[in-house]
Amino acid sequence: MSVVPPPPWHERAVLTRRFGSLTVHALRSGFVSCKEAHRTLSVPDVLRLPAIVLDRRWTEWMPITSYVIEHPEGVFVVDPGQREDTHDASKLDCDEGTRWFYRHQLRLAFRAEERIDRRMQALGLDPERVRGVIVTHRHGDHADALSVLRSEHVYVGAADWPAHQGALVAHWPPAVVPTLVRATGRPFDEIPDSVPVTADGQLSVVLLSGHSPGHLGLVARADDGTRLLFAGDAVFSLAQLHGGVIAGICESPRDARATLRVLERQLRAHPTVLLPAHERDAWTRLDAGRLSHAP
Ligand SMILES: [Zn+2]
């Protein structure tokens, strides 16, 4: 029987970095571990789900990262992260298949002080006065803590609404009406579809489908010239992008590959700080303002 190592709670859980007039905070809301076959596809596409279930190898504990951006027009949040009941599969309010997956195919670790509203308050930011929340997709470790924020706008991919595979639909705060993001044909750099969310054009939501049908990301063009791409689960790591290998967990392998190619083109044409949700090295890159280049 394998012994599960404890999560590395001692690692830094808050990181703040300025880029011109933008201040970017990486905030951790606990850890997640999944099967290796969930993170990296190594079988033919049609076998991706059985491969996850049969895999006995668990990844290391990965941070669940929310990004909070202070912009002159207000505060923006990319993925609120998890809350108290996300990590407890016995309390999940969802269909049986989803509950089974969360219970047996994921490990989540959480401490109350890691919830995003508490993290924001500790930084002097008001969780009830948020300008925009970008829910990259509706998996519990990304979307659940939306219920502890108050935001003028909540952006969700139209194709992820009202549900997608594994979405914790019942955890959505009923009073929140999302702004649904569709393909616009308006590119941001190399990314085909974008919607600006600030009047100055510094922040735009982009479509990065594959992991979920309407998966979103956020791009920032800071006034010091730095580009940042908050990628959610569109790619799990820069190494994965360099290797050209998609994750095992994705609703559309074809779309996930197309998104990888888009990200590769983006990094080639416009070196960008790539910031996925679960990559420890993303924290190091953010700290250093290190640009990610194409392979
Ligand atoms: Zn996900």
Side-chain angles (χ1 to χ4, degrees), residues 97-165:
T98 300
R99 184 179 300 113
W100 183 87
F101 194 90
Y102 276 81
R103 178 178 283 181
H104 297 289
Q105 305 302 323
L106 286 175
R107 289 172 176 158
L108 291 159
F110 179 73
R111 284 180 172 172
E113 69 267 24
E114 300 229 301
R115 209 175 66 185
I116 190 166
D117 53 333
R118 297 175 184 134
R119 290 273 190 231
M120 287 178 70
Q121 279 157 352
L123 291 167
L125 300 171
D126 186 349
E128 310 229 319
R129 287 192 58 188
V130 176
R131 183 66 190 274
V133 176
I134 293 85
V135 176
T136 62
H137 62 295
R138 301 182 61 203
H139 288 157
D141 54 325
H142 293 257
D144 266 14
L146 178 63
S147 57
V148 303
L149 301 176
R150 295 284 172 279
S151 179
E152 286 172 55
H153 304 281
V154 176
Y155 300 93
V156 177
D160 283 359
W161 190 265
H164 63 83
Q165 211 171 61

Side-chain angles (χ1 to χ4, degrees), residues 183-188 191-196 204:
T184 58
R186 174 184 178 149
F188 181 102
I191 305 172
D193 295 293
S194 73
V195 178
S204 291

Side-chain angles (χ1 to χ4, degrees), residues 165-223:
Q165 211 171 61
L168 296 184
V169 175
H171 292 195
W172 187 267
V176 173
V177 179
T179 300
L180 297 180
V181 179
R182 300 184 158 79
T184 58
R186 174 184 178 149
F188 181 102
D189 292 346
E190 306 304 308
I191 305 172
D193 295 293
S194 73
V195 178
V197 294
T198 56
D200 64 4
Q202 279 201 81
L203 301 181
S204 291
V205 171
V206 288
L207 270 178
L208 301 172
S209 66
H211 182 72
S212 69
H215 191 289
L216 301 180
L218 182 76
V219 282
R221 190 160 24 203
D223 43 16

